[in-house]
Amino acid sequence: MLSVGIRFAIATLLIGIWCVIQQRSFKLTLHQHKLMAMAGVFLYCLDYSLLYAAQQHIVSALLAVLSSAVIYFNVVLRRFVLKKPIRIEVVAGATVGLIGICLIFVPELQGMSATQGLAAGLLFALGSFFSAAIGNVLSEKILDTQVSVLQMNFWAMLYGVVVTLGIVMLSNVPLVVPNKASYYYSLLYLAIFGSVIAFGAYMRLVQQIGSDKAAYVVLIYPIVALIISTIFENYIWTVSSLIGVLLVLVGNAIAMGKLTLRRLQRKVS
């Protein structure tokens, strides 16, 4: 949690500096601040803290499969919180993508055994994904009020940082920061590319296509990881992983409305 807090503190500082350079206004209404605070706590505090807790109990392959739950949570919460209709193509695309993710990680899932902390890991994971879904829907609600992405990320991250570091300080756990340079390189990478740039792009997606469609990126992450692993770690592709990647891409096309069952039938025929 300390690393999460430091990561987003650096990101908040960089976004704030950029806002000052661009002469962007930091002013928001009290109601907007309340929404920002809730979005920040769920998206930048609970989501990541619970996710890292889950990774100490269950393998990353299972987490990748479970992460698809974010999309379903988003669809339901978006309907009840924002009163926006459920888009069937998103549910259908997410289901096809989920099957693809399962095929990609078949070897890892087959080799997985029940551990003493499995139940705790599953609860932490579901808590993380549910928190992410709440944060996503609240972010869409905020962005619908013509708040800029920069304002959104600055304030939400700031509130998330305050709560995260507050919990760390109140926990009375000894604060031990690694002395290896690689830790700080990784932290800077996550702060700049994984937070400032990635969340800037992600929130723009939320603003343009909605939090339900934007959440499909969680099924794209493993494909990027496989490509990187192929280049640097000599990952060996299998038939199931190739079919899995294809299904994830088809699911993405369905979720974005670019591929319907009728179009698919025409292409197959």
Side-chain angles (χ1 to χ4, degrees):
M1 285 191 73
L2 177 61
S3 296
V4 170
I6 296 173
R7 165 187 172 175
F8 286 113
I10 295 172
T12 304
L13 177 62
L14 294 175
I15 294 173
I17 292 172
W18 183 250
C19 286
V20 171
I21 294 173
Q22 294 285 307
Q23 297 183 339
R24 300 290 187 100
S25 174
F26 289 94
K27 293 182 179 179
L28 297 172
T29 65
L30 180 60
H31 177 66
Q32 287 173 326
H33 272 290
K34 290 179 180 179
L35 290 175
M36 293 280 192
M38 289 190 290
V41 170
F42 282 110
L43 196 56
Y44 300 120
C45 173
L46 294 178
D47 176 17
Y48 281 87
S49 299
L50 292 172
L51 183 66
Y52 289 138
Q55 285 182 324
Q56 297 188 38
H57 299 283
I58 56 180
V59 297
S60 298
L62 182 58
L63 272 178
V65 173
L66 292 174
S67 65
S68 61
V70 171
I71 304 175
Y72 299 108
F73 288 150
N74 274 12
V75 168
V76 175
L77 288 174
R78 193 170 181 267
R79 176 69 184 92
F80 287 100
V81 176
L82 304 182
K83 309 300 181 184
K84 294 184 178 182
I86 292 176
R87 295 190 272 201
I88 302 301
E89 67 271 20
V90 177
V91 179
T95 303
V96 172
L98 171 59
I99 295 171
I101 291 296
C102 289
L103 287 174
I104 290 172
F105 291 107
V106 162
E108 287 81 0
L109 294 174
Q110 287 178 337
M112 187 183 68
S113 59
T115 60
Q116 186 174 1
L118 181 61
L122 291 174
L123 286 175
F124 282 134
L126 290 176
S128 169
F129 302 140
F130 188 64
S131 297
I134 295 175
N136 286 334
V137 172
L138 287 173
S139 298
E140 184 176 355
K141 184 179 180 68
I142 294 167
L143 293 170
D144 281 346
T145 62
Q146 305 305 313
V147 173
S148 71
V149 170
L150 281 173
Q151 281 181 308
M152 163 72 206
N153 281 344
F154 174 79
W155 285 111
M157 285 185 187
L158 180 60
Y159 284 120
V161 167
V162 170
V163 173
T164 302
L165 294 182
I167 294 174
V168 171
M169 297 303 176
L170 293 174
S171 66
N172 291 323
V173 175
L175 303 181
V176 180
V177 180
N179 55 11
K180 292 184 177 179
S182 58
Y183 170 79
Y184 296 96
Y185 297 149
S186 302
L187 194 63
L188 284 175
Y189 169 81
L190 288 173
I192 297 171
F193 294 98
S195 302
V196 176
I197 297 175
F199 269 107
Y202 180 73
M203 287 305 169
R204 184 59 59 87
L205 273 181
V206 170
Q207 189 177 47
Q208 293 179 346
I209 63 177
S211 57
D212 54 345
K213 288 187 176 183
Y216 198 90
V217 297
V218 299
L219 298 182
I220 302 296
Y221 294 156
I223 296 179
V224 178
L226 288 183
I227 294 172
I228 294 174
S229 184
T230 301
I231 297 172
F232 295 103
E233 299 174 334
N234 298 317
Y235 174 79
I236 300 174
W237 289 79
T238 63
V239 174
S240 64
S241 62
L242 287 171
I243 295 174
V245 168
L246 179 62
L247 286 177
V248 171
L249 296 177
V250 170
N252 181 69
I254 294 172
M256 299 304 140
K258 295 179 180 179
L259 182 63
T260 62
L261 289 177
R262 288 183 180 179
R263 289 181 184 175
L264 184 59
Q265 287 175 350
R266 288 175 185 173
K267 289 184 178 182
V268 171
S269 61

